[in-house]
Amino acid sequence: MPTETPPPSLRERQKAQTRNLIVDALVAAMAAGELEQATHDALAKRVGVSRQTVYRHFPDRESLMAALWERLNPRFSAAGLPTEEGALTALLGPMYAAFDRDAELITIAQSTPQGRAMRLSVRAKRSAAFRQATAAATEGLSDREATMAAAVIQLLHGGQAWIEMRQQWGLSGAEIAKACGWAIRTLLADLHARGGRPLADDDAAP
């Protein structure tokens, strides 16, 4: 018979609660635009714990930003990162609708050093997901050109595209999803049609 996993101890529950309180405080600071509060010392004061406690849970800035991303990412992309081609367009509507709901927070996450640090903390994971999702379309391209293609598609699938289209053109999340979906489908169709021909080789396009 399978053995039952014992429930967490009181100490473990207290540790988890303290960790959650620290991340709660960081999210609140970011949402309020209080970027000076996004430090270990400021968070310790905000939560009412020692700075050693904050460092015990998050030994460096990278781990703090990674925890922030883990907390916020489900609000912006309930299905997670795209890892297959169909998800590149299927996730756009829910994602950009979520961006509209948390407009102030996503703008901070995209346009501040703290937000960039949060996003960079999962750069490798995000890059790997988009390379996987575009693998079939970029088959035959050099590794560098496959990276270039994935990078362009990833740009259309994130906060920078949303900010530019919202601020410059006044588009809603639904309209941004429609525009980016069209652009991504067009790029994928071109990549499949060229069958591994270099990206700049358009004279031989069928």
Side-chain angles (χ1 to χ4, degrees):
M1 295 180 61
T3 58
E4 293 186 3
T5 303
S9 66
L10 176 60
R11 180 178 177 82
E12 289 171 334
R13 293 197 302 272
Q14 289 173 334
K15 286 176 62 177
Q17 183 181 33
T18 300
R19 187 182 193 279
N20 285 332
L21 286 173
I22 295 168
V23 179
D24 286 345
L26 182 54
V27 171
M30 293 288 286
E34 298 171 354
L35 305 182
E36 71 280 359
Q37 296 291 313
T39 67
H40 285 72
D41 287 350
L43 289 170
K45 185 175 181 179
R46 191 177 186 118
V47 177
V49 297
S50 68
R51 67 192 300 271
Q52 288 81 8
T53 297
V54 179
Y55 276 102
R56 190 180 306 122
H57 288 276
F58 305 103
D60 51 37
R61 184 169 184 77
E62 182 175 324
S63 61
L64 189 62
M65 292 299 123
L68 179 61
W69 177 261
E70 289 172 5
R71 173 68 66 83
L72 295 182
N73 192 45
R75 293 166 63 171
F76 303 140
S77 180
L81 292 169
T83 55
E84 53 91 18
E85 192 170 301
L88 291 169
T89 51
L91 297 179
L92 290 173
M95 180 180 67
Y96 285 131
F99 282 13
D100 278 357
R101 289 194 299 270
D102 280 305
E104 183 176 4
L105 190 57
I106 192 62
T107 300
I108 290 172
Q110 290 291 328
S111 59
T112 65
Q114 292 81 2
R116 286 191 291 274
M118 176 186 72
R119 290 182 289 110
L120 287 174
S121 70
V122 291
R123 180 174 65 177
K125 182 178 180 180
R126 185 189 302 110
S127 298
F130 277 89
R131 283 299 300 267
Q132 181 178 339
T134 57
T138 58
E139 185 176 1
L141 291 178
S142 68
D143 183 71
R144 196 60 181 170
E145 291 212 327
T147 297
M148 291 162 58
V152 171
I153 290 172
Q154 188 257 316
L155 182 63
L156 293 165
H157 200 284
Q160 287 299 324
W162 174 82
I163 285 177
E164 185 65 19
M165 294 185 191
R166 176 186 172 90
Q167 293 182 348
Q168 179 69 28
W169 297 98
L171 298 183
S172 68
E175 292 170 324
I176 296 168
K178 184 175 181 179
C180 289
W182 161 72
I184 290 173
R185 287 192 301 273
T186 301
L187 289 170
L188 290 170
D190 176 81
L191 287 166
H192 282 293
R194 67 179 51 246
R197 285 183 295 105
L199 297 182
D201 185 9
D202 291 325
D203 291 339

